[in-house]
Amino acid sequence: MTMIKLLLASLLAGLVTAYVTPSRTFGARPSTKLYENFGLGVGEDTYKNQVEQLGGEANYKQWVNKVQDNSFLNRKYNVVRRVRELDLLGKTADQGILSKLEAQGLSLEKIEQILPALEKAGALSLVGNNQQLLVNGLAPVVIEGAPILLPLVSAAIGAGPSAFFAAAATSGAIEFYLLANNVEIPLIGLPAGVLFGLLLV
C-alpha cells in the first residue's frame, strides 16, 4: 500500500510542477518589443531611429549618387557608345546580314508587321518595363560578344535553316552526353548538363 501511495505522490508532484511558472533565475524572458512598424502603427518608427540613407532602395541610390557620380550601383551601360566604338553597324553591313535575311524571306517590312502582334502579347511592354535589367544585364553580353558572333550568324543565315537544325542537333547531343555521363563542373560540383541546358534556354 505504501508503494502505491509513493507512486501516486510522485505522479501528482510531476503534474503540479507542470503548472508552476518558472522562476526568472534560469534566464530572462525574451523581449517582445517590435522594432519595425511595417506601416501598421505598432512598434517603433524605423525612419526615426535610422539614418536617412537606409530608408529604402531609392534613398540609398540617391545618396550613393551624391557621394560618387559614376558609382557601380547607378552606372548604366552605354549601348550607343559601345556600338559605335565596336563599329557593329559597319560589321553587320560588311557581313551582309540584312541582305541574307531578305534572301531567306525576312525583310524589315515583315518584322514591322510582327510588332503589333508582339504588342498584343505584351512583349514590348515587358521590355519597356525592364529596360534597366536589359541594358545592364543582357546588352553587355550581346554587344561585347557581337564582333565574334557576327561572322558565325552571317554564315548560318547564308546556309539557311539547315545550319540552325545542325546547331540544335549538336547542342542536343552535347546535352545528352553531359546528362548521361553525370558530368560535373570542376571545383563547384554542379551538374554540367543542367547548366548547359540553362545556357541554351
Side-chain angles (χ1 to χ4, degrees), residues 96-118:
I97 291 178
L98 294 178
S99 59
K100 289 178 182 178
L101 283 173
E102 286 182 4
Q104 295 293 334
L106 184 64
S107 62
L108 293 177
E109 290 82 15
K110 290 187 179 178
I111 295 174
E112 190 176 351
Q113 291 171 1
I114 298 172
L115 291 177
L118 290 175

Side-chain angles (χ1 to χ4, degrees), residues 60-71 73-74:
Y60 181 67
K61 285 185 174 182
Q62 289 172 0
W63 175 73
V64 168
N65 209 19
K66 290 177 188 174
V67 174
Q68 185 177 0
D69 291 337
N70 193 19
S71 67
L73 182 66
N74 293 324

Side-chain angles (χ1 to χ4, degrees), residues 122-139:
L124 296 181
S125 57
L126 180 70
V127 169
N129 293 335
N130 294 304
Q131 283 181 356
Q132 185 76 13
L133 179 65
L134 292 173
V135 167
N136 287 334
L138 187 61

Side-chain angles (χ1 to χ4, degrees), residues 89-100 147 149-155:
L89 296 178
K91 290 178 181 174
T92 303
D94 292 342
Q95 296 293 333
I97 291 178
L98 294 178
S99 59
K100 289 178 182 178
L149 293 176
L150 280 175
L152 298 174
V153 170
S154 175

Side-chain angles (χ1 to χ4, degrees), residues 2-23:
T2 55
M3 226 22 198
I4 294 174
K5 287 182 181 179
L6 284 172
L7 182 62
L8 286 174
S10 63
L11 286 173
L12 287 174
L15 290 173
V16 169
T17 55
Y19 295 104
V20 175
T21 56
S23 67

